[in-house]
Amino acid sequence: MAAVHGDVHGHGHGDHHPTGIMRWVMTTNHKDIGTMYLWFALSMFFVGGTLAMGIRAELYQPGIQILEPELFNQFTTLHGLIMVFGAVMPAFVGFANWQVPMMIGAPDMAFARMNNWSFWLLPVAASFLIISFFVPGGAAAGGWTFYPPLSVQGGLGVDLMIFAVHILGASSIMGAINIITTILNMRAPGMTLMKMPMFVWTWLITAYLLVLVMPVLAGTVTMLLTDRHFGTSFFNAAGGGDPVLFQHIFWFFGHPEVYIMILPAFGIVSEIIPTFARKRLFGYSSMVYATASIALLSCFVWAHHMFTVGMPVVGQLFFMYMTMLIAVPTGVKVFNWTATMWQGSMTFETPMLFSIGFIFLFVIGGFSGVICAIVPIDIQVQETYYVIAHFHYVLVSGSLFALFAGAYYWIPKWTGRMYNETLGKWHFWLSMFFFNLTFFVQHFLGLAGMPRRIPDYALQFADFNMVSSIGAFGFGLTQILFVYIMVSCVRSGEPAPEKPWEGATTLEWTHLPTPAPYHSFETPPVIK
Amino acid sequence: MSTSKINLVMLKKLFIFTVIMFAFGYALVPFYEKFCEVTGINNLLQPDILVEENWVDTDRWITVELDANTTGIPWDFKPLQSSVRIHPGEPVDVLYEIRNHTDREVNGQAIPSYSPRLLERYLKKFECFCFTKQVLKPNEVRQMPVQFTIEPGIPADVHTVTISYTFFELPGGQKAINDK
Ligand code: HEM
Ligand SMILES: [Cu+2]
């Protein structure tokens, strides 16, 4: 090895790392780790998706057909946990690993070894969650928000969930520290903060949110653990504790958490729209300030999840107005994306389609969010399918669509191969159709009073539920197409041109060959 | 300083920040306790002050149903009258009885619960066994008063309300031999 060391850059390095499986276990390369994050997230997306298919199959008709109520509850709980912590969050960290160093002209992440650890914690946590289905008493069944008293009473499955959340939290915190340090200390000369690509900005702010609230989540689950096994009574009314306290602490984490899942999506879309509109991003600095104010405001709205716990009217009003205030910076962003497209020379390749779909559907989700924020309405729709519709519009057609958009956008850079554009478009239109079929009708179900997290329902809800289930099966099947497109792209796609998107302006497109070499920017580029 | 040194400084700072935020999560517990105490939210366990010359609405009757439950405590617990009829504003006394049917000392705490929920705003309790923990010697029986009134401001369509207590065992009494 020492002999190779003095060798010319780029050539000698390829031989440094172990091959086979050990390459992936030991790797400290941000691109390898990014790839692992993305494949892991995709697998978890299918595990969580399988649970969702189970839920929708049970809800296809009234009555209990497939899942006993206990198992149904485990399915909804684990579906939420796996999608949030196993699919969406790791997927965004995967994008950060690949893209942040390349977009700021850094050779790698700041702490390469820690980066490897953050990733390898994930499969451990995921296996805890999956194994918990097979322990006596089954998996946690009190909802992804694990409110006490159910989470204090549950069996071994709840303990496994608590450990999994601890591990996932540690992984996210390590990842966030890594990303902050990389962005703040390792930018290429000349790349001032206000010249950073939007994706990098959104991740910087997201990473700060992560170190702010993930430790609080860790504290919450620790309290739960000691309530369960060590005689404390944080949440146990019998011992002087209070279950409502749990909700306050949980949602102090929980609401910023939903922004942790959407800010990087904003970042991805803010890269793609200018590329395919062939114009600069409209209002760059207002985008930065909007992102920062969303993050700040998101720390003062948590109690909009708890309007019905019996808080005083002043409290309800405060949290109602604070929540509505978030719509302002969000509106700024939507305005800027639209203005970027205005009079642009647009083309509609798959990444652009997913980004435009994102804007449309995310706005619907934002509106239903504002409706939920209105206290008298929320008292009606809380814990109904209306809320389910709301957060799937922001999370599936928001975060997930942005992830798809990003994957199509950057896969040529990552692999040097093009995906099949026709199939990509099919993937988009099928996803769009089935997504709306699944979730739009849930607004009606919720307004009519169908409660969430219940395996059976009254007969008047039957038709919409059948529609929703058919949509869900269609959406699930469509995602197999995505795997097919990605796998065939990686294995046998057409070689990608050096710069497949002529409008792209960020460093990875302008300063690096396609595919991006294993080691990039070992001498930093100079940004003018 | 080299980049890796600067990075390590940053790592240290962010790690300390993480630890502080973990502690902050715990600090929220006493914070909320104080907050609720100061603002008077959730003060189910504090006595209200008896105001002399309270206005009594002698034209209205409200039926107060009394309910008693136990969870995980070896006591019998019951109200000595299942309901009382009162005028809004009129102070009343009712009695509850607890009986420890084991031969060990047991500590218990009662947690109140009201229905309909708006009752909480109008119910004033001057004395209640739920303000403190109760300790019963082996086989002891005790009768305990609750003194309360319902303020006349309670909406006119409320005719029946329920006051319910649940007794829980507190740690600290003598443990049963085969308790874990
Ligand atoms: C303008 C922006 C938004 C507003 C005003 C808003 C408002 C709300 C409100 C008031 C609720 C509580 C509804 C209830 O439980 O009755 C809620 C729930 C929820 N929101 Fe949003 N929201 C917004 C954006 C988002 C975004 C961007 C995400 C995630 C990417 C998100 C994810 C969620 C989730 C997951 C829940 C349900 C949590 C649960 O109970 O399981 N929201 N939202
Ligand atoms: Cu929220």
Side-chain angles (χ1 to χ4, degrees):
Chain A
M1 284 237 216
V4 192
H5 213 71
D7 222 319
V8 197
H9 259 121
H11 162 72
H13 269 291
D15 313 332
H16 266 290
H17 45 257
T19 47
I21 181 89
M22 284 319 275
R23 162 181 170 190
W24 298 101
V25 176
M26 310 283 289
T27 183
T28 56
N29 179 286
H30 72 102
K31 299 189 180 80
D32 281 351
I33 295 177
T35 305
M36 292 196 296
Y37 264 106
L38 291 172
W39 282 117
F40 173 81
L42 189 62
S43 337
M44 284 298 114
F45 173 58
F46 275 89
V47 176
T50 309
L51 297 173
M53 295 301 107
I55 295 169
R56 282 314 325 171
E58 176 52 53
L59 293 174
Y60 183 75
Q61 284 182 347
I64 306 286
Q65 281 91 26
I66 306 172
L67 300 173
E68 288 302 309
E70 296 77 20
L71 194 57
F72 181 88
N73 292 345
Q74 295 171 27
F75 269 44
T76 54
T77 304
L78 270 280
H79 164 71
L81 286 168
I82 288 177
M83 285 304 196
V84 168
F85 293 106
V88 175
M89 291 176 69
F92 281 123
V93 181
F95 275 89
N97 261 291
W98 260 102
Q99 289 306 126
V100 166
M102 292 204 293
M103 291 175 116
I104 62 172
D108 204 315
M109 297 295 277
F111 308 107
R113 176 59 58 193
M114 185 165 91
N115 204 9
N116 173 290
W117 298 335
S118 342
F119 172 75
W120 282 108
L121 287 175
L122 294 179
V124 179
S127 41
F128 279 12
L129 288 179
I130 293 169
I131 289 169
S132 74
F133 273 108
F134 305 100
V135 299
W144 82 275
T145 52
F146 47 88
Y147 284 3
L150 287 181
S151 55
V152 176
Q153 293 159 355
L156 188 55
V158 178
D159 293 314
L160 283 168
M161 178 206 79
I162 291 176
F163 291 135
V165 171
H166 268 136
I167 297 171
L168 292 162
S171 161
S172 304
I173 291 170
M174 280 156 57
I177 291 181
N178 220 332
I179 290 168
I180 295 175
T181 313
T182 310
I183 297 177
L184 290 186
N185 293 354
M186 296 174 67
R187 296 191 309 280
M191 164 104 37
T192 57
L193 283 177
M194 289 311 276
K195 278 190 188 159
M196 294 195 311
M198 264 321 286
F199 177 71
V200 180
W201 255 116
T202 53
W203 243 118
L204 178 63
I205 293 170
T206 304
Y208 270 112
L209 275 182
L210 276 168
V211 289
L212 188 76
V213 301
M214 286 314 265
V216 177
L217 175 69
T220 319
V221 289
T222 311
M223 291 179 208
L224 210 54
L225 190 75
T226 55
D227 267 15
R228 288 168 58 78
H229 297 296
F230 302 102
T232 59
S233 299
F234 288 103
F235 310 128
N236 182 357
D242 190 340
V244 175
L245 174 70
F246 174 90
Q247 297 190 26
H248 277 293
I249 306 181
F250 178 86
W251 286 112
F252 179 86
F253 148 81
H255 189 82
E257 165 69 14
V258 307
Y259 281 91
I260 287 167
M261 294 188 285
I262 201 69
L263 293 182
F266 290 168
I268 293 178
V269 169
S270 304
E271 298 302 333
I272 293 176
I273 301 269
T275 297
F276 293 91
R278 292 166 182 78
K279 276 176 67 194
R280 287 182 44 199
L281 182 66
F282 183 89
Y284 171 87
S285 50
S286 67
M287 281 302 219
V288 174
Y289 295 127
T291 312
S293 21
I294 290 176
L296 190 72
L297 283 174
S298 78
C299 299
F300 300 95
V301 299
W302 70 90
H304 66 210
H305 297 274
M306 327 169 33
F307 282 144
T308 55
V309 295
M311 74 173 88
V313 174
V314 229
Q316 291 179 327
L317 288 177
F318 173 80
F319 286 107
M320 168 167 124
Y321 289 127
M322 285 307 273
T323 306
M324 291 179 162
L325 212 53
I326 294 201
V328 177
T330 314
V332 169
K333 287 189 154 281
V334 173
F335 180 87
N336 286 349
W337 291 321
T338 321
T340 308
M341 291 190 280
W342 180 254
Q343 295 194 330
S345 3
M346 288 204 281
T347 49
F348 298 95
E349 288 87 345
T350 311
M352 184 62 162
L353 287 178
F354 269 107
S355 300
I356 296 175
F358 166 95
I359 299 179
F360 264 103
L361 299 182
F362 177 79
V363 166
I364 296 181
F367 277 139
S368 59
V370 177
I371 292 172
C372 287
I374 301 170
V375 174
I377 298 183
D378 189 59
I379 288 172
Q380 292 293 315
V381 300
Q382 175 139 66
E383 298 297 318
T384 68
Y385 264 79
Y386 194 83
V387 175
I388 304 284
H390 157 64
F391 71 74
H392 284 88
Y393 266 83
V394 282
L395 276 170
V396 177
S397 57
S399 310
L400 183 64
F401 272 27
L403 286 164
F404 286 148
Y408 286 111
Y409 182 59
W410 278 306
I411 195 103
K413 177 53 66 182
W414 297 342
T415 63
R417 292 172 189 278
M418 271 320 260
Y419 61 89
N420 182 326
E421 188 64 58
T422 317
L423 287 183
K425 289 196 167 123
W426 271 102
H427 177 221
F428 169 72
W429 286 109
L430 288 173
S431 295
M432 189 80 179
F433 175 74
F434 284 122
F435 169 80
N436 284 293
L437 195 63
T438 313
F439 291 107
F440 203 78
V441 292
Q442 295 187 0
H443 291 110
F444 307 136
L445 286 170
L447 289 174
M450 176 170 162
R452 65 191 279 202
R453 295 172 170 160
I454 310 279
D456 191 4
Y457 47 81
L459 291 179
Q460 73 265 30
F461 302 131
D463 294 346
F464 280 141
N465 268 296
M466 189 176 284
V467 171
S468 183
S469 288
I470 292 171
F473 301 143
F475 190 82
L477 286 176
T478 304
Q479 303 323 314
I480 296 173
L481 180 61
F482 176 69
V483 178
Y484 173 77
I485 297 172
M486 285 296 139
V487 170
S488 59
C489 169
V490 172
R491 295 173 60 160
S492 56
E494 298 281 313
E498 271 297 292
K499 200 163 169 233
W501 321 122
E502 53 170 15
T505 56
T506 39
L507 286 185
E508 80 278 23
W509 299 109
T510 55
H511 282 62
L512 289 178
T514 299
Y518 192 64
H519 294 281
S520 41
F521 292 135
E522 300 210 303
T523 43
V526 177
I527 286 88
K528 290 172 289 295
Chain B
M1 266 202 294
S2 71
T3 321
S4 61
K5 272 235 188 74
I6 302 176
N7 286 351
L8 281 180
V9 173
M10 190 91 202
L11 174 70
K12 223 178 276 168
K13 281 189 198 156
L14 287 168
F15 180 74
I16 292 171
F17 183 70
T18 306
V19 175
I20 291 174
M21 284 315 294
F22 185 79
F24 174 80
Y26 275 83
L28 285 175
V29 178
F31 167 78
Y32 272 110
E33 217 158 88
K34 229 13 294 132
F35 183 82
C36 290
E37 196 186 305
V38 172
T39 54
I41 300 170
N42 200 15
N43 64 347
L44 299 178
L45 303 185
Q46 250 95 54
D48 296 297
I49 315 293
L50 181 57
V51 191
E52 293 301 324
E53 296 175 32
N54 213 355
W55 174 59
V56 179
D57 185 351
T58 45
D59 294 340
R60 270 181 78 189
W61 285 103
I62 291 189
T63 306
V64 183
E65 293 175 335
L66 301 169
D67 178 47
N69 309 285
T70 57
T71 293
I73 186 170
W75 287 359
D76 294 327
F77 174 40
K78 58 174 194 231
L80 292 184
Q81 57 285 75
S82 62
S83 69
V84 284
R85 260 166 60 86
I86 62 170
H87 293 299
E90 162 193 14
V92 272
D93 281 297
V94 294
L95 281 179
Y96 274 84
E97 185 181 277
I98 43 178
R99 173 192 304 270
N100 179 1
H101 54 70
T102 63
D103 41 17
R104 63 186 174 101
E105 190 181 289
V106 177
N107 296 348
Q109 169 72 50
I111 304 285
S113 162
Y114 310 129
S115 160
R117 194 156 81 185
L118 59 79
L119 176 63
E120 186 202 331
R121 229 177 305 153
Y122 302 99
L123 181 72
K124 300 290 160 202
K125 283 191 295 187
F126 315 117
E127 195 187 331
C128 180
F129 55 87
C130 63
F131 295 153
T132 53
K133 77 171 180 184
Q134 303 292 327
V135 183
L136 285 193
K137 302 231 151 35
N139 297 313
E140 186 182 340
V141 181
R142 177 179 306 157
Q143 294 185 347
M144 310 167 301
V146 182
Q147 193 184 45
F148 67 93
T149 183
I150 295 175
E151 292 192 328
I154 190 163
D157 59 348
V158 177
H159 305 292
T160 306
V161 298
T162 306
I163 300 179
S164 167
Y165 291 98
T166 304
F167 254 107
F168 297 92
E169 177 159 5
L170 285 185
Q174 255 170 23
K175 288 287 178 186
I177 316 277
N178 50 4
D179 264 11
K180 57 174 166 116

